[in-house]
């Protein structure tokens, strides 16, 4: 099995911190999610996470005006120049200090960066032929505190910088005679935003205390005179030296008259009297003159400037709004809340949501794929259950009935029911048709559930308790408790049902795994004695083997029917856990992070995925008991336990600098050391870093992807399709020219099999779409079983993207009708392929059915109009035919009358 998997998407988290921004076309929004960036396509309803990683959490995102490149800056000041076209990193640069804001000039030739109290202006990459894309143009100084915001004029010749020293300064980006720097006051708190008016030098400044000041300039943009003012000063110095004081004073007055001047026109307040609300973010749309402001209470206002008319006001949450942004047209407003991990796009004209997404604001603890691989359900420590669409990447339903952390989620076999278990002592079943909780399962005595399992028929629901050491079995149909399985002497850590029959395996901290037959035996059927505590258990897809992860770091494989051990893998040194900043001992000697806590077989059962308290996911080959590949889920240094060795620059003779809490006063002591057994750290601490870990791993039923819940979020890895040449049973005679020659001879079956042996996707598509639809049945009959599997897999991939829907559905129907019995006989080997085909057909069916439902009345109207038009045409044709018949009859009568008149003279002459 080839593991050419790569990171494809990040779900479960839509926003972490930093600024959100729309693309220049206004159809997509870019949101920083940890050390990655996600792009949400609002027009096509899809989300994508770029395959680009920073070293720490991203805090600044700036796009070029043409939308081709972007600059990403992390917490430490490390910048990435990213191409949004090829989705790759073009250049690395380090500012060596934290950066607050990055913004491109409107002409795209420069970009400005605020670093501490300095403003650095660089030549924009791609506009000049330089080896270094980040070439410094000029540094600007002046603020006494950190600079917070930047805005450019429309002609890119000047820019304004606001800072925490309550002042705003306008700098000339090019040499101007009547402008060098101009400073503004008028505020009593830090500046949050400063904006120029459209095609003007008029300025709006907004401070954190909710004050807006409008400044009017006496000069237009066209009035800025290019050139340097330094030669005049030198001339003045020379004249002063000569003693021409009167002339120099006259020239000074003349120069002052030539300089631009600002005056304060008005001052407005967002907060009402007696009410104080901190303003946290703002944005201004220049063409429509709209200003949007976000506050710490979760309220945002929309005003029209310069009259300061309130157009709209809405509260979206009780958390701080971290970032707001307009799209290019000014009708959509993006709002981001870092406390909830929430991202909204609000259309203020219709007062409706274009996008409303929120991830788990705590760690995710469990996940499960739907049987067709189209949906993923996740459970978080915030007590929420969310269902995600793997195609679009969006969450479409959230269930909030649980009151404590979720410990397990699972789909039933019919894909329409989601079951979850929680520490609140309940297991709940949710209907995905009506989006409601229709079953609640509870124990006779209050218990904290630690794991969940459902049999393959969906009739039995089982939960294990961590405080009562018992397993509860309920009926899905009635909701009644059927049985309580007792026998474990420690907390039940994991449950797993066999996919083939009603055999349940339970793993416990009492160093045993018990196998139960729910229907036939009242007690335990088998007890598997282990050498260490069991942490996770899972069945192979065929139900003939069970894998057990133990506290010692070992993975054992057992035959559940005969209770014989069939193999083991020592994975203690493969997980590669890191050392936390507050650890007194090294990662090598630490016992934490040496064991796997989650297991999952691949779709064909040949390999197993394992993860735990580490940044790595290991894939082992079961038969050979070898480590095949190790995936590193993150390189984000903002997480704890990322590195095996601590940075020596942070180490002193008495310990690590991380043990010092700079926010504490003297006499309070240093940072508290985490107690043994604490998983997440002290979240009440002022400087808390989440620990990187993998809580759950699941392989997709289609076999083409696997997902994992981590500290980053829900990460999906899919097959790497970048390989264009992956031959299968190749010969020297098989070339693209030979295949096209066979197509010319109309030997379609031979050409198709040769294209599969060459295994180039574009060539296979060319061959398949060249075959006439009348020959599909004949070609399908001649294909061997090996090529039938490959053809069905190719049809499944084409159904997701191709426009020839009926053509590929004809292939699918014909292949299944002709080879269905042989596929059924080897169902286990083709199960992943059939699930991929079902997923593609189901997705296309849902898309087309929604389209047809929305256009039903339009189609009926068009058909009725067509019928009326056809009946009218038929009636007109009938009337025309009747007229022609009448004309013919009249013509016959006229000819008979004329013939009789011609005969009269002849008769008279005869007489």
């Amino acid at each position: 099995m080839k593991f050419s998997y790569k990171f494809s998407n990040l779900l479960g988290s839509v926003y972490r911190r930093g600024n959100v921004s729309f693309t220049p076309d206004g159809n997509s929004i870019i949101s920083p999610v940890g050390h990655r960036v996600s792009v949400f396509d609002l027009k096509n309803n899809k989300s994508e996470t770029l395959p680009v990683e920073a070293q720490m959490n991203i805090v600044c995102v700036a796009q070029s005006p043409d939308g081709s490149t972007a600059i990403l800056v992390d917490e430490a000041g490390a910048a990435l120049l990213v191409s949004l076209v090829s989705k790759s990193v073009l250049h690395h640069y380090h500012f060596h200090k934290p950066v607050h804001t990055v913004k491109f000039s409107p002409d795209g030739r420069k970009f400005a960066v605020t670093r501490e109290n300095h403003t650095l202006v660089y030549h924009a990459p791609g506009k000049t032929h330089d080896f270094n894309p980040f070439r410094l143009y000029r540094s600007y100084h002046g603020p006494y505190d950190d600079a917070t915001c930047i805005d450019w004029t429309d002609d890119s010749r000047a820019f304004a910088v606001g800072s925490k020293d309550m002042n705003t300064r306008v700098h000339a980006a090019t040499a101007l005679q009547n402008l060098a720097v101009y400073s503004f006051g008028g505020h009593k708190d830090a500046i949050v935003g400063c904006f120029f008016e459209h095609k003007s030098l008029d300025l709006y400044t907004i401070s954190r205390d909710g004050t807006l000041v409008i400044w009017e300039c006496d000069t237009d943009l066209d009035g800025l005179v290019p050139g340097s003012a330094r030669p005049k000063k030198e001339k003045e110095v020379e004249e002063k030296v000569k003693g021409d004081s009167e002339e120099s004073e006259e020239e000074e007055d003349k120069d002052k008259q030539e300089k631009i001047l600002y005056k304060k026109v008005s001052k407005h307040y967002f907060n009402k009297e007696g009410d104080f609300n901190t303003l946290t973010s703002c944005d201004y749309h220049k063409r429509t003159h709209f200003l949007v402001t976000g506050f710490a209470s979760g309220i945002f206002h929309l005003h029209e400037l310069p009259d300061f008319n309130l157009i709209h006001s809405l509260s979206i949450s009780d958390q701080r709004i971290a970032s707001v942004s307009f799209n290019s047209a000014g009708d959509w407003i993006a709002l981001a809340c870092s406390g909830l991990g929430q991202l909204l796009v609000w259309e203020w004209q219709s007062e409706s949501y274009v996008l409303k997404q929120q991830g788990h604001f705590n760690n995710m603890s469990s996940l499960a794929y739907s049987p067709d691989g189209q949906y993923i359900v996740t459970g978080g420590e915030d007590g929420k259950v969310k269902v995600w669409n793997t195609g679009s990447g969006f969450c479409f339903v959230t269930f909030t009935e649980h009151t404590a952390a979720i410990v397990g989620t699972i789909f039933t076999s019919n894909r329409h029911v989601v079951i979850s278990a929680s520490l609140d002592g309940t297991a709940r079943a949710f209907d995905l048709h009506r989006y409601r909780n229709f079953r609640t399962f509870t124990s006779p005595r209050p218990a904290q559930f630690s794991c969940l399992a459902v049999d393959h028929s969906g009739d039995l629901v089982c939960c294990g308790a961590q405080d009562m050491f018992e397993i509860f079995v309920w009926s899905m149909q009635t909701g009644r408790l059927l049985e309580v399985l007792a026998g474990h002497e420690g907390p039940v850590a994991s449950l797993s049902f066999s996919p083939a029959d009603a055999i349940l395996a339970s793993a416990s901290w009492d160093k045993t795994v018990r196998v139960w037959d729910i229907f036939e035996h009242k007690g335990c059927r088998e007890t598997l004695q282990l050498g260490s505590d069991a942490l996770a258990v899972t069945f192979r897809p065929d139900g003939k083997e069970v894998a057990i992860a133990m506290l010692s770091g070992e993975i054992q494989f057992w035959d559940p029917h005969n209770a014989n051990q069939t193999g083991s893998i020592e994975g203690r040194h493969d997980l590669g856990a890191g050392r936390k900043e507050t650890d007194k001992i090294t990662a090598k000697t630490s016992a934490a992070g040496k064991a796997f806590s989650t297991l999952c077989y691949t779709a064909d059962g040949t390999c197993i995925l394992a993860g735990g308290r580490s940044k790595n996911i290991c894939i082992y080959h079961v038969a050979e008991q070898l480590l095949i590949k190790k995936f590193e889920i993150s390189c984000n240094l903002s997480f704890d336990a990322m590195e095996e060795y601590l940075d020596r620059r942070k180490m002193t003779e008495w310990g690590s600098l991380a043990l010092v809490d700079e926010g504490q006063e003297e006499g309070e002591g240093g940072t508290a050391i985490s107690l043994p057994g604490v998983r997440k750290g002290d979240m009440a601490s002022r400087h808390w870093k989440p620990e990187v870990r993998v809580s759950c791993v699941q392989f997709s039923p289609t076999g083409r992807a696997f997902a994992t819940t981590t500290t980053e979020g829900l990460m999906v890895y899919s097959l790497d399709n970048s390989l264009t040449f992956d031959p299968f049973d190749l010969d020297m005679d098989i070339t693209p020219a030979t295949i096209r020659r066979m197509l010319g001879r109309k030997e379609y079956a031979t050409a198709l099999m040769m294209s599969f042996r060459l295994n180039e996707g574009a060539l296979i598509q060319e061959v398949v779409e060249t075959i006439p639809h009348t020959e599909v049945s004949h070609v399908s009959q001649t294909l061997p079983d090996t090529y039938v599997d490959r053809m069905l897999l190719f049809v499944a991939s084409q159904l997701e993207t191709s426009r020839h829907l009926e053509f590929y559905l004809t292939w699918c129907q014909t292949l299944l009708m002709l080879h269905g019995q042989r596929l059924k006989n080897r169902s286990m080997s083709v199960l992943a392929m059939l699930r991929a085909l079902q997923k593609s057909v189901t997705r296309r069916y849902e898309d087309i059915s929604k389209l047809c439902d929305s256009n039903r009345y339009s189609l009926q109207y068009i058909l009725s109009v067509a019928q009326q038009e056809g009946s009218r045409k038929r009636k007109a044709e009938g009337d025309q035919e009747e007229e022609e018949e009448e004309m013919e009859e009249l013509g016959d009568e006229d000819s008979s009358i004329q013939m009789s008149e011609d005969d009269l003279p002849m008769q008279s002459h005869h007489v």
Side-chain angles (χ1 to χ4, degrees):
M1 185 175 186
K2 296 183 180 180
F3 282 93
S4 56
Y5 289 88
K6 69 174 182 179
F7 172 79
S8 63
N9 206 355
L10 176 64
L11 311 179
S13 184
V14 294
Y15 174 75
R16 194 72 55 86
R17 61 174 298 189
N19 65 300
V20 295
S21 61
F22 280 93
T23 53
D25 59 2
N27 295 328
S28 301
I29 186 170
I30 296 181
S31 171
V33 184
H35 71 309
R36 299 177 184 270
V37 170
S38 294
V39 180
F40 298 93
D41 190 346
L42 305 178
K43 186 176 181 180
N44 299 317
N45 194 33
K46 286 187 178 181
S47 69
E48 179 187 12
T49 303
L50 301 182
V52 174
E53 295 181 77
Q55 291 185 349
M56 302 185 78
N57 288 335
I58 295 173
V59 295
C60 294
V61 177
Q63 298 179 71
S64 61
D66 57 359
S68 60
T69 58
I71 297 176
L72 315 177
V73 187
D74 64 13
E75 296 172 345
L80 298 176
L81 176 62
V82 178
S83 171
L84 298 179
V85 179
S86 62
K87 300 172 185 176
S88 59
V89 177
L90 302 179
H91 186 67
H92 293 262
Y93 189 81
H94 209 298
F95 292 105
H96 301 291
K97 294 292 178 62
V99 172
H100 291 88
T101 311
V102 181
K103 192 163 187 178
F104 277 86
S105 61
D107 61 1
R109 295 183 175 276
K110 294 182 179 67
F111 68 90
V113 178
T114 58
R115 186 190 67 180
E116 293 185 336
N117 62 337
H118 307 308
T119 303
L120 308 176
V121 177
Y122 290 83
H123 289 285
K127 299 298 182 181
T128 57
H129 298 284
D130 294 325
F131 177 76
N132 183 10
F134 286 72
R135 186 165 65 89
L136 181 63
Y137 168 71
R138 189 177 172 186
S139 298
Y140 295 86
H141 307 276
Y144 297 98
D145 206 340
D146 292 345
T148 57
C149 53
I150 300 176
D151 191 49
W152 289 81
T153 56
D154 289 340
D155 61 355
S156 304
R157 291 196 291 171
F159 62 91
V161 179
S163 61
K164 290 183 180 179
D165 64 357
M166 300 176 288
N167 290 328
T168 306
R169 291 167 177 82
V170 176
H171 296 275
T174 59
L176 299 174
Q177 292 184 9
N178 52 352
L179 174 62
V181 60
Y182 201 104
S183 181
F184 303 86
H187 289 280
K188 299 179 181 180
D189 208 340
I191 304 298
V192 177
C194 55
F195 306 100
F196 282 105
E197 186 55 271
H198 181 54
K199 294 182 180 180
S200 173
L201 285 173
D202 296 347
L203 189 68
Y204 303 107
T205 58
I206 302 136
S207 60
R208 190 169 54 187
D209 59 355
T211 304
L212 167 68
V213 179
I214 302 177
W215 305 88
E216 185 179 20
C217 184
D218 63 347
T219 307
D220 296 331
L221 281 178
D222 298 334
L224 294 176
V225 181
S228 177
R230 289 183 179 179
K232 290 187 178 181
K233 292 183 179 179
E234 294 176 359
K235 186 176 181 180
E236 291 171 2
V237 172
E238 292 178 357
E239 291 176 348
K240 286 181 181 179
V241 172
K242 292 179 180 179
D244 298 336
S245 59
E246 296 181 358
E247 295 180 0
S248 62
E249 289 178 359
E250 291 178 359
E251 291 185 1
E252 284 181 3
D253 295 337
K254 187 177 180 181
D255 292 340
K256 287 181 180 179
Q257 291 177 2
E258 291 177 355
K259 299 291 185 181
I260 67 170
L261 293 176
Y262 278 91
K263 68 176 180 179
K264 184 168 66 174
V265 177
S266 59
K267 194 172 186 178
H268 304 280
Y269 300 95
F270 291 94
N271 296 320
K272 299 179 181 179
E273 294 183 3
D275 183 21
F276 180 77
N277 195 0
T278 303
L279 192 147
T280 56
S281 57
C282 56
D283 192 25
Y284 179 65
H285 193 264
K286 297 184 179 181
R287 289 196 299 272
T288 58
H289 309 286
F290 287 149
L291 174 70
V292 59
T293 51
F295 294 86
S297 60
I299 299 174
F300 77 91
H301 298 319
L302 183 65
H303 287 84
E304 184 180 10
L305 298 182
D307 298 330
F308 199 69
N309 297 324
L310 180 62
I311 297 176
H312 197 69
S313 180
L314 184 69
S315 176
I316 60 173
S317 68
D318 56 353
Q319 296 289 328
R320 170 179 177 269
I321 298 178
S323 178
V324 295
S325 178
F326 274 108
N327 70 336
S328 57
D331 52 353
W332 290 352
I333 303 173
L335 307 160
C337 300
S338 58
L340 297 174
Q342 191 176 31
L343 181 64
L344 308 174
V345 178
W346 176 261
E347 187 175 7
W348 62 271
Q349 293 174 335
S350 62
E351 298 186 2
S352 61
Y353 287 108
V354 179
L355 173 70
K356 187 178 182 180
Q357 289 290 303
Q358 179 179 340
H360 296 276
F361 55 85
N362 281 337
N363 292 336
M364 284 183 284
S365 55
S366 62
L367 76 99
Y369 269 98
S370 62
D372 58 357
Q374 192 169 354
Y375 303 122
I376 296 178
V377 58
T378 59
E381 294 178 357
D382 55 358
K384 294 182 179 180
V385 178
K386 291 178 174 289
V387 185
W388 307 81
N389 189 318
T390 58
S392 65
F394 288 119
C395 171
F396 62 90
V397 62
T398 301
F399 300 106
T400 59
E401 280 78 6
H402 285 291
T403 58
I406 309 297
V407 296
T409 52
I410 196 169
F411 272 94
T412 57
S413 57
N414 61 1
R415 201 193 67 165
H416 302 311
V417 177
V418 169
I419 304 173
S420 61
S422 171
L423 290 175
D424 62 3
T426 63
R428 298 177 182 269
F430 302 97
D431 185 2
L432 291 185
H433 284 305
R434 298 179 178 87
Y435 299 144
R436 63 185 181 91
N437 174 211
F438 69 95
R439 287 280 186 275
T440 301
F441 309 99
T442 58
S443 57
R445 291 177 296 168
Q448 285 188 320
F449 295 147
S450 58
C451 49
L452 171 70
V454 178
D455 71 330
H456 65 282
S457 64
D459 295 332
L460 299 177
V461 179
C462 299
C463 286
Q466 66 180 13
D467 51 357
M468 302 176 66
F469 312 156
E470 294 174 340
I471 303 170
F472 301 92
V473 184
W474 296 275
S475 170
M476 174 65 77
Q477 299 294 331
T478 62
R480 295 181 178 179
L481 180 66
L482 299 180
E483 194 170 355
V484 178
L485 305 179
H488 280 296
E489 299 176 358
V492 181
S494 179
L495 294 175
S496 179
F497 261 106
S498 172
D501 45 25
I503 294 180
L504 176 69
S506 60
S508 173
W509 291 5
D510 61 1
K511 301 181 181 181
T512 63
V513 170
R514 296 178 181 266
V515 181
W516 316 79
D517 196 330
I518 302 298
F519 294 124
E520 295 184 2
H521 297 78
K522 291 295 182 182
C524 178
R525 177 178 174 179
E526 298 286 352
T527 301
L528 311 180
Q529 297 292 335
L530 308 175
S532 182
D533 296 356
L535 302 180
V537 62
T538 183
F539 272 93
R540 201 168 65 183
D542 59 358
K544 296 180 180 179
E545 186 180 75
V546 62
I548 305 166
M550 299 189 299
L551 188 62
S552 60
E554 185 181 3
I555 302 175
Q556 292 187 358
F557 302 95
W558 291 73
D559 184 355
H561 301 284
N562 301 323
N564 295 329
Q565 184 177 350
T566 58
S568 66
I569 295 175
E570 183 62 43
R572 181 178 178 83
H573 302 290
D574 296 334
L575 196 56
R579 177 180 177 180
K580 295 192 291 185
E581 289 185 348
T582 57
D583 283 347
K584 295 287 188 178
I585 58 177
T586 61
K588 187 176 181 180
T589 56
S590 176
K594 298 293 185 181
F596 298 107
S597 59
T598 175
L599 297 174
C600 178
Y601 275 96
T602 56
D604 56 0
T606 58
C607 299
I608 193 168
L609 281 75
R613 197 171 170 180
S614 169
K615 62 178 179 179
N616 297 317
I617 298 174
C618 300
I619 300 181
Y620 294 95
H621 195 281
V622 177
E624 299 179 2
Q625 300 178 9
L626 293 175
L627 177 66
I628 296 178
K629 194 169 183 179
K630 186 187 293 187
F631 288 94
E632 183 176 336
I633 60 171
S634 177
C635 63
N636 189 0
L637 298 181
S638 298
F639 292 146
D640 206 358
M642 281 297 299
E643 297 179 313
E644 186 176 356
Y645 302 100
L646 293 183
D647 191 348
R648 292 297 177 186
R649 292 173 293 183
K650 297 181 180 180
M651 298 297 293
T652 63
E653 59 184 358
W654 45 264
S656 173
L657 289 175
L659 298 175
V660 179
D661 192 345
E662 299 176 356
Q664 291 182 344
E665 298 179 359
E666 295 182 2
E668 293 186 5
T671 302
I673 307 300
S674 60
L675 298 176
V678 175
R679 295 182 179 180
K680 297 187 297 181
D682 185 9
M683 289 186 288
S685 175
R686 185 174 286 105
H687 305 288
W688 175 68
K689 294 178 68 174
E691 181 183 352
V692 63
R693 63 196 310 261
V694 177
S695 57
C696 188
V697 174
Q698 284 291 324
F699 214 91
S700 172
T702 62
R704 302 187 62 82
F706 70 88
T708 173
T709 53
T710 67
T711 315
E712 285 279 356
L714 175 61
M715 306 181 71
V716 180
Y717 291 81
S718 58
L719 278 176
D720 188 356
N721 296 322
S722 60
L723 296 175
T724 57
F725 184 67
D726 186 15
F728 167 75
D729 194 17
L730 190 61
D731 290 337
M732 293 292 293
D733 299 334
I734 299 178
T735 61
T738 308
I739 295 173
R740 292 187 177 95
R741 196 179 306 120
M742 291 295 177
L743 283 177
R745 298 176 185 173
K746 297 185 178 181
E747 297 180 10
Y748 300 119
T750 306
L752 183 60
M753 288 186 284
M754 290 173 68
S755 65
F756 276 120
R757 293 173 70 180
L758 194 60
N759 205 13
E760 289 187 9
L763 186 61
I764 296 174
Q765 182 179 356
E766 178 185 348
V767 172
V768 172
E769 294 181 358
T770 306
I771 299 174
H773 69 279
T774 55
E775 298 290 331
V776 170
S777 178
H778 174 69
V779 174
S780 301
Q781 288 179 349
T782 58
L783 285 179
D785 291 345
T786 305
Y787 295 100
V788 170
D789 300 349
R790 301 178 71 85
M791 185 61 195
L792 283 173
L793 193 60
F794 174 77
V795 169
S797 64
Q798 289 298 311
L799 279 174
E800 295 184 357
T801 57
S802 178
R803 296 176 297 175
H804 308 294
L805 185 58
E806 184 180 2
F807 178 71
Y808 283 107
L809 286 176
T810 303
W811 270 103
C812 178
Q813 182 182 12
T814 307
L815 289 170
L816 293 177
M817 290 292 292
L818 294 175
H819 303 274
Q821 187 60 41
R822 289 196 292 272
L823 291 172
K824 184 178 180 181
N825 295 335
R826 48 191 182 91
S827 58
M828 289 305 299
S829 61
V830 299
L831 187 59
M833 178 268 297
L834 292 176
R835 283 173 174 166
L837 186 64
Q838 180 190 8
K839 175 183 176 181
S840 302
V841 173
T842 304
R843 181 172 297 174
R844 273 307 182 101
Y845 169 76
E846 291 180 353
D847 293 342
I848 295 176
S849 61
K850 290 178 182 177
L851 184 64
C852 293
D853 289 341
S854 61
N855 295 332
R856 177 185 301 172
Y857 299 106
S858 301
L859 292 173
Q860 290 179 358
Y861 173 74
I862 292 172
L863 290 175
S864 62
V865 170
Q867 291 176 358
Q868 292 178 1
E869 187 70 20
S871 61
R872 187 180 65 80
K873 287 183 178 180
R874 287 193 297 270
K875 184 178 180 181
E877 292 175 354
D879 295 342
Q880 186 176 0
E881 290 178 356
E882 291 179 358
E883 291 178 359
E884 291 178 354
E885 291 178 357
E886 291 177 357
M887 292 296 294
E888 289 178 356
E889 292 177 356
L890 291 174
D892 293 341
E893 291 177 358
D894 293 341
S895 60
S896 61
I897 292 171
Q898 185 177 3
M899 288 177 64
S900 60
E901 290 178 351
D902 291 341
D903 290 340
L904 287 175
M906 294 177 63
Q907 293 175 0
S908 61
H909 179 72
H910 178 69
V911 172

